[in-house]
C-alpha cells in the first residue's frame, strides 16, 4: 500500500474513532464489545437500515482494535424495484469510512408466498457460503433487543413452543458456523442514534410501515401495550426465565442425541431409545437431526415433524421425506439420510 493510501486510511480510522468521543456511543460500543468478545476473523451482514449500519460501525472499530480481518456483505434479494440502487448507495456510504462492502445478488425465481421467511433462509445460506470462502466461522447479524420482543409475540401467535418464543439468542450455530448477535441487548433507538451521528443517513425500508406484514403489526401492538403500561424490564426478566427453562430442556435433547444416535456426514441412525423420551425432548432432538443431516438453517414446520413422529411410532415400516432428508424406518431402527 502506498504512503498516500496509508495516510487516507489512517485519516479515516481517526474519523471513525473520533465518534467514540460521544459518551453515548462510547457506552454502546463497550456493551457491544463485551457481548461480542471475539478474537477471530468474522463477516458482517449489512442491509442498510440503522441497525446494520450501527453494526458495521461498531464491528469496524472492534476489528481495528483487535487487528482482525472482517468482510461485509449485503444480500440484494431483488424483491423491490429499487433494491439494487439502495445496495449501491449503502456500498458507497460505507466506503467513505473504509468499510468495504460486497453486494451479493439473489437471482432466479422469487416466492409468491411466505416471502420474508424464504428470503431470510436464502440470506442465511448465502452468508454461510461466504463465511466458508472467507475461512471464518463467525457471522455477525444486527438483531437487537426490540427484535427479541417482536419475535416473542410473532412466535406466540404462530403457536410456537418454548424454544420458538425465546429463539433469538446471542449465539446459535449452523453447519459449524456461529451466528452471533452482539446487539441483542441494545435497543433500536440507540442504534438509530449511532447511524445518525456516524453516517447522517440510512435506508428506509418501506415494508417497515406496511401493516400487511405480521412483524409491523406486532411492532405497533408493542407500542400500544407500552402506552397501556407494559414494563419492558419485567418483560425481559420473564423472557430470561423462559430461556433458563428452555436451556434445561435443551440439555436433555443433546443428551438424547449423543447417547441414542449415530451421526455421519449425510446420515444418522436413531436407536429405539431415541424415541423413549418426553415428547418435547423427542421433538427437539428429531428436529436437530433433520437440520444436521439436511444441512438446513431452519427445521421443517412443527406440524410436519409431529406427523412424521406419529407415523414412526405407529408403523413398523415407514418411509418419507422431510427437511431435505429421507426418513426410513425398518423394524425399530430409523435411518435419516440427506436427500439427493
Amino acid at each position: 500500500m502506498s504512503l498516500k493510501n496509508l495516510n487516507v486510511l489512517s485519516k479515516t480510522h481517526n474519523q471513525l474513532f473520533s465518534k467514540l468521543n460521544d459518551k453515548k456511543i462510547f457506552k454502546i460500543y463497550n456493551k457491544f464489545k463485551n457481548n461480542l468478545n471475539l478474537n477471530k476473523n468474522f463477516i458482517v451482514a449489512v442491509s442498510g437500515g440503522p441497525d446494520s449500519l450501527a453494526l458495521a460501525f461498531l464491528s469496524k472499530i472492534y476489528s481495528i482494535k483487535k487487528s482482525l480481518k472482517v468482510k461485509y456483505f449485503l444480500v440484494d434479494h431483488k424483491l423491490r424495484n429499487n433494491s439494487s440502487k439502495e445496495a449501491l448507495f449503502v456500498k458507497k456510504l460505507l466506503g467513505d469510512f473504509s468499510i468495504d462492502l460486497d453486494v451479493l445478488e439473489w437471482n432466479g425465481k422469487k416466492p409468491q408466498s411466505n416471502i420474508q421467511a424464504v428470503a431470510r433462509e436464502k440470506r442465511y445460506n448465502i452468508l454461510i457460503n461466504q463465511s466458508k470462502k472467507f475461512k471464518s466461522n463467525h457471522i455477525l447479524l444486527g438483531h437487537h433487543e426490540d427484535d427479541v420482543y417482536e419475535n416473542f409475540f410473532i412466535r406466540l401467535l404462530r403457536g410456537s413452543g418454548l424454544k420458538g418464543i425465546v429463539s433469538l439468542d446471542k449465539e446459535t450455530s449452523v453447519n459449524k458456523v456461529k451466528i452471533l448477535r452482539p446487539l441483542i441487548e441494545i435497543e433500536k433507538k440507540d442504534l438509530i442514534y449511532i447511524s445518525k451521528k456516524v453516517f447522517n443517513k440510512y435506508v428506509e425500508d418501506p415494508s417497515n410501515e406496511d401493516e400487511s406484514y405480521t412483524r409491523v403489526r406486532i411492532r405497533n401492538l408493542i407500542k400500544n401495550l407500552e402506552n397501556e403500561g407494559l414494563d419492558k424490564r419485567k418483560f425481559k426478566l420473564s423472557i430470561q426465565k423462559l430461556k433458563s427453562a428452555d436451556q434445561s430442556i435443551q440439555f436433555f435433547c443433546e443428551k438424547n442425541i449423543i447417547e441414542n444416535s449415530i451421526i455421519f456426514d449425510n446420515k444418522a441412525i436413531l436407536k429405539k431409545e431415541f424415541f423413549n423420551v418426553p415428547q418435547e425432548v423427542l421433538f427437539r432432538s428429531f428436529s436437530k437431526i433433520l437440520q444436521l443431516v439436511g444441512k438446513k438453517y431452519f427445521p421443517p414446520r412443527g406440524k410436519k415433524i409431529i406427523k412424521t413422529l406419529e407415523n414412526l411410532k405407529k408403523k413398523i415400516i415407514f418411509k418419507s421425506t422431510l427437511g431435505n432428508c429421507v426418513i426410513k424406518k425398518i423394524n425399530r431402527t430409523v435411518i435419516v439420510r440427506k436427500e439427493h
Side-chain angles (χ1 to χ4, degrees):
M1 185 179 291
S2 68
L3 183 60
K4 180 180 178 181
N5 287 340
L6 280 172
N7 288 335
V8 171
L9 189 62
S10 177
K11 185 178 179 181
T12 305
H13 286 179
N14 289 336
Q15 182 185 7
L16 283 168
F17 277 89
S18 70
K19 304 297 182 181
L20 295 179
N21 292 331
D22 183 302
K23 290 182 180 180
K24 186 172 183 178
I25 293 179
F26 182 73
K27 184 178 179 181
I28 297 168
Y29 172 75
N30 280 331
K31 182 180 279 192
F32 167 86
K33 177 186 68 176
N34 293 334
N35 280 342
L36 185 55
N37 191 27
L38 181 65
N39 291 306
K40 296 182 179 179
N41 299 337
F42 56 88
I43 74 171
V44 179
V46 179
S47 66
D51 322 333
S52 71
L53 288 182
L55 177 62
F57 164 75
L58 295 169
S59 59
K60 182 66 176 181
I61 294 286
Y62 186 90
S63 68
I64 296 170
K65 283 178 173 284
K66 293 277 188 175
S67 299
L68 298 174
K69 292 181 180 179
V70 56
K71 296 281 284 184
Y72 295 84
F73 295 104
L74 184 152
V75 178
D76 178 9
H77 296 91
K78 294 187 175 293
L79 293 172
R80 290 185 284 111
N81 292 331
N82 61 341
S83 65
S84 296
K85 185 178 179 181
E86 287 178 357
L88 291 175
F89 165 78
V90 177
K91 182 177 177 67
K92 184 181 183 309
L93 183 65
L94 293 180
D96 291 339
F97 292 85
S98 294
I99 300 174
D100 187 19
L101 178 71
D102 288 333
V103 177
L104 309 171
E105 295 182 348
W106 174 23
N107 296 308
K109 190 176 180 180
K110 303 299 187 289
Q112 298 300 312
S113 60
N114 203 25
I115 296 171
Q116 288 191 327
V118 175
R120 183 172 63 248
E121 181 167 2
K122 185 68 178 179
R123 182 166 64 252
Y124 279 123
N125 288 336
I126 290 173
L127 290 170
I128 287 169
N129 287 336
Q130 289 299 322
S131 74
K132 290 178 179 177
K133 288 180 181 178
F134 185 50
K135 295 183 179 178
S136 168
N137 293 323
H138 299 84
I139 301 175
L140 271 58
L141 300 183
H143 292 121
H144 48 78
E145 190 171 278
D146 298 54
D147 288 323
V148 175
Y149 304 134
E150 291 172 15
N151 182 74
F152 179 92
F153 282 108
I154 289 171
R155 295 302 182 90
L156 199 63
L157 288 176
R158 290 177 181 170
S160 297
L162 179 60
K163 182 178 177 62
I165 62 177
V166 297
S167 61
L168 271 186
D169 288 322
K170 190 183 296 184
E171 179 182 315
T172 52
S173 181
V174 57
N175 293 348
K176 298 180 181 179
V177 174
K178 290 186 177 181
I179 309 296
L180 306 178
R181 301 179 176 90
L183 306 178
I184 204 73
E185 295 176 358
I186 300 173
E187 293 183 84
K188 184 181 180 73
K189 64 181 183 182
D190 290 335
L191 302 175
I192 292 175
Y193 179 86
I194 287 178
S195 290
K196 286 181 176 178
K197 286 287 185 177
V198 175
F199 301 104
N200 267 337
K201 59 191 81 171
Y202 51 81
V203 173
E204 293 278 8
D205 186 346
S207 67
N208 287 333
E209 303 298 327
D210 187 351
E211 288 212 344
S212 64
Y213 292 107
T214 302
R215 182 169 293 279
V216 177
R217 296 196 299 274
I218 290 297
R219 191 171 296 149
N220 292 334
L221 170 65
I222 292 172
K223 289 178 183 176
N224 290 333
L225 289 174
E226 284 186 276
N227 292 335
E228 293 295 326
L230 173 68
D231 187 333
K232 277 191 174 179
R233 289 174 300 175
K234 291 180 180 178
F235 189 15
K236 186 177 180 180
L237 186 61
S238 294
I239 292 176
Q240 288 172 346
K241 289 179 179 178
L242 290 172
K243 276 185 180 289
S244 179
D246 176 68
Q247 288 166 0
S248 298
I249 296 173
Q250 190 60 33
F251 169 81
F252 289 102
C253 292
E254 292 170 3
K255 187 172 186 288
N256 187 35
I257 292 172
I258 291 170
E259 294 180 355
N260 298 316
S261 70
I262 303 171
I263 303 173
F264 304 93
D265 184 34
N266 293 315
K267 184 171 71 173
I269 299 172
L270 312 182
K271 304 174 186 177
K272 63 178 182 179
E273 290 82 6
F274 183 91
F275 300 90
N276 296 333
V277 293
Q279 183 63 30
E280 179 64 17
V281 175
L282 173 59
F283 176 86
R284 293 200 197 185
S285 302
F286 191 65
S287 298
K288 187 63 178 178
I289 291 291
L290 292 176
Q291 281 182 276
L292 290 171
V293 175
K295 304 292 191 295
K296 302 275 282 185
Y297 182 80
F298 296 103
R301 293 284 184 181
K303 289 181 180 178
K304 293 183 178 181
I305 295 174
I306 291 170
K307 184 66 177 177
T308 300
L309 288 172
E310 288 174 351
N311 285 323
L312 287 171
K313 184 178 181 180
K314 289 188 295 186
K315 299 179 180 181
I316 296 175
I317 298 175
F318 174 75
K319 185 176 181 180
S320 182
T321 59
L322 182 63
N324 204 32
C325 296
V326 176
I327 303 154
K328 188 175 182 179
K329 180 183 180 184
I330 302 175
N331 296 323
R332 295 184 178 182
T333 301
V334 174
I335 298 173
V336 181
R337 64 174 175 81
K338 192 173 188 294
E339 191 175 20
H340 297 297

